[in-house]
Amino acid sequence: MASMLSSRDVSGFKFLFFIAIMYAIISLLVHSVLHMKFIKPLSIDAPLDRFSEARAIHHVAVLTKDGRQEGRPGLRKAAVYIKEQLEMLKERAESNIRVEVEETTINGSFSMIFLGHSISFAYRDHINIVARISSADVKETDPSVLINGHFDSPLGSPGAGDCGSCVASMLELARVTVESGWIPPRPLIFTF
């Protein structure tokens, strides 16, 4: 004797089938995430033509030793360190690649609205460091790619995440560009 399934039973089976399919998809997703092969970060002694997380972390460690807030000596120390690193790249660059490093000191002010109130900030003797990496035969008017980050940090913070990690990555990227022998098709301008 064959029993007939009601429309409610068919809807219930469809729902159970849908739940089983969703469970299978989620299980496959969880399995793939748990068994994902992550890229192993390169150590400090990695080949010079490769980006090394350990070398970037070393830069972060040096940059975060002293406070890098405006007006503190640590900000000047960070500027000296960044410029030294870029000058070393300039010395190691091959003849077909040009590395130019420039430091400027500026004064100024800016205003902003914070919580409905106008606030003005002034700064003096603020240091900017610019490095330009390009082929030896590039023209000054050629379009460029700008990569920038700030090396000062917020009050009460060592500034590893804001923005020491950015500056460290920029230094490592500049180093890899010079050490690899790759000549960028457009000049790269690193602004610190």
Side-chain angles (χ1 to χ4, degrees):
M1 176 169 200
S3 65
M4 295 297 271
L5 295 175
S6 71
S7 64
R8 268 180 86 171
D9 292 338
V10 171
S11 295
F13 282 122
K14 284 181 180 177
F15 180 72
L16 285 175
F17 183 70
F18 172 76
I19 294 294
I21 294 294
M22 291 304 294
Y23 178 78
I25 290 171
I26 291 171
S27 296
L28 284 171
L29 181 64
V30 168
H31 180 269
S32 67
V33 168
L34 290 176
H35 298 287
M36 188 181 290
K37 302 276 188 235
F38 293 102
I39 297 171
K40 185 179 179 209
L42 296 178
S43 66
I44 202 139
D45 58 347
L48 293 177
D49 63 341
R50 305 285 304 275
F51 187 97
S52 164
E53 179 184 276
R55 284 190 283 256
I57 288 174
H58 173 73
H59 293 311
V60 172
V62 171
L63 290 168
T64 57
K65 277 184 192 170
D66 301 316
R68 295 186 327 273
Q69 294 80 26
E70 196 66 47
R72 302 227 11 228
L75 189 60
R76 180 68 193 145
K77 288 180 186 175
V80 168
Y81 176 77
I82 292 166
K83 191 167 182 190
E84 285 173 352
Q85 295 299 306
L86 295 170
E87 291 291 345
M88 284 192 301
L89 290 179
K90 187 176 180 177
E91 292 171 12
R92 292 199 305 258
E94 296 177 5
S95 61
N96 59 348
I97 193 162
R98 184 180 349 168
V99 179
E100 301 165 274
V101 179
E102 184 179 318
E103 179 181 323
T104 59
T105 304
I106 59 169
N107 301 310
S109 65
F110 64 94
S111 297
M112 62 185 268
I113 303 295
F114 181 72
L115 299 174
H117 301 284
S118 179
I119 301 172
S120 295
F121 294 96
Y123 51 90
R124 90 178 154 218
D125 299 331
H126 186 79
I127 300 164
N128 289 325
I129 302 166
V130 178
R132 185 172 191 249
I133 301 174
S134 61
S135 68
D137 58 348
V138 72
K139 297 178 187 118
E140 292 295 321
T141 58
D142 285 351
S144 303
V145 175
L146 176 66
I147 304 161
N148 66 354
H150 62 92
F151 60 92
D152 60 334
S153 65
L155 289 171
S157 168
D162 185 15
C163 196
S165 59
C166 304
V167 171
S169 296
M170 289 169 58
L171 286 171
E172 182 63 5
L173 182 61
R175 189 201 57 74
V176 168
T177 302
V178 170
E179 298 282 355
S180 68
W182 175 70
I183 301 171
R186 298 264 189 252
L188 301 177
I189 299 176
F190 294 85
T191 304
F192 301 87

